[in-house]
Amino acid sequence: MMRANLSRDAVILAAAELADEEGFEAVTVSALARRFDVKPASLYSHVRDRAAVLDGLHELALGELAALIAEETAGRSGWDALAGLAGAHRRYAREHPGRWAAMQQPAREQTVRSDEAARVVTLIWAVLRAYELPDDELVHATRLVGATINGFLALERSGSFGHRTDSAALSWERAIDALDLALRAWPGGGASLSRKTSSP
């Protein structure tokens, strides 16, 4: 039990830890109350309901992912930056499966407009702008990159690659290669960035 001075931040952090330990679906107000050794009613002065907890968890995860993307893409461009961006997502999904699952849920309006979400988008667009994409194409390119990364990670987490002996690491690198080529050939683009210089 972790009876302590309750606050919204403490409750959200506990939710994140619970999600990683027991799974996203395990996050309920009752489960969090047990974690703090208090009655559920004690939490409602800090979080309105389970939906508010999940919103906070989503925003916390976005903020942590943004910090990791910034770390993995700093001073890099082209393929290297793209690999850093993708690698940050993969690392976060592996290290924090419950928080990652929270980010796969539909985001509510307040989450979409949060500072954490804005920072993630800013960092992704910084990587994509190096490919000289028109501003009105950034959303479409972001969707392609996100779908590729999230699709790969979803298949990897479900064990879909387990029945083949071929290296999943090589498949991951090939996926980044394919994204890099797609971004270089993007309509209206035309970046002359140097190709891959290192592996993720």
Side-chain angles (χ1 to χ4, degrees):
M1 300 299 179
M2 44 186 293
R3 182 184 292 275
N5 293 327
L6 288 175
S7 67
R8 180 184 181 276
D9 288 347
V11 173
I12 298 305
L13 181 57
E17 293 169 350
L18 179 61
D20 285 342
E21 293 167 9
E22 300 184 25
F24 173 75
E25 295 301 330
V27 179
T28 64
V29 174
S30 295
L32 288 169
R34 289 193 296 273
R35 206 170 177 89
F36 284 101
D37 192 24
V38 298
K39 298 293 185 183
S42 299
L43 299 186
Y44 288 122
S45 59
H46 306 285
V47 289
R48 183 181 65 256
D49 51 22
R50 182 174 187 262
V53 172
L54 298 183
D55 287 344
L57 174 53
H58 198 151
E59 290 170 23
L60 171 69
L62 285 169
E64 292 177 339
L65 177 62
L68 196 53
I69 292 172
E71 175 187 328
E72 295 292 338
T73 60
R76 306 168 77 176
S77 64
W79 189 97
D80 284 340
L82 186 62
L85 171 66
H89 283 77
R90 195 181 193 197
R91 177 178 158 191
Y92 193 78
R94 287 177 167 179
E95 294 179 355
H96 299 291
R99 302 179 206 205
W100 177 260
M103 289 194 295
Q104 308 314 303
Q105 309 305 309
R108 289 159 57 122
E109 187 65 24
Q110 71 177 48
T111 302
V112 172
R113 296 182 179 278
S114 68
D115 292 341
E116 293 85 355
R119 187 164 185 232
V120 170
V121 171
T122 297
L123 289 163
I124 292 173
W125 284 12
V127 172
L128 297 183
R129 280 197 170 96
Y131 287 93
E132 299 179 8
L133 303 182
D135 283 351
D136 59 0
E137 291 293 324
L138 286 173
V139 169
H140 308 303
T142 298
R143 288 171 178 166
L144 173 64
V145 171
T148 302
I149 293 172
N150 290 340
F152 190 103
L153 296 181
L155 290 171
E156 189 172 49
R157 286 194 64 194
S158 70
S160 296
F161 301 150
H163 63 287
R164 297 294 298 268
T165 58
D166 308 67
S167 169
L170 182 57
S171 296
W172 176 253
E173 186 170 331
R174 292 289 182 267
I176 296 170
D177 287 341
L179 283 175
D180 178 70
L181 288 170
L183 293 169
R184 290 171 188 279
W186 201 271
S192 57
L193 296 168
S194 58
R195 290 300 303 277
K196 175 174 60 178
T197 61
S198 62
S199 297

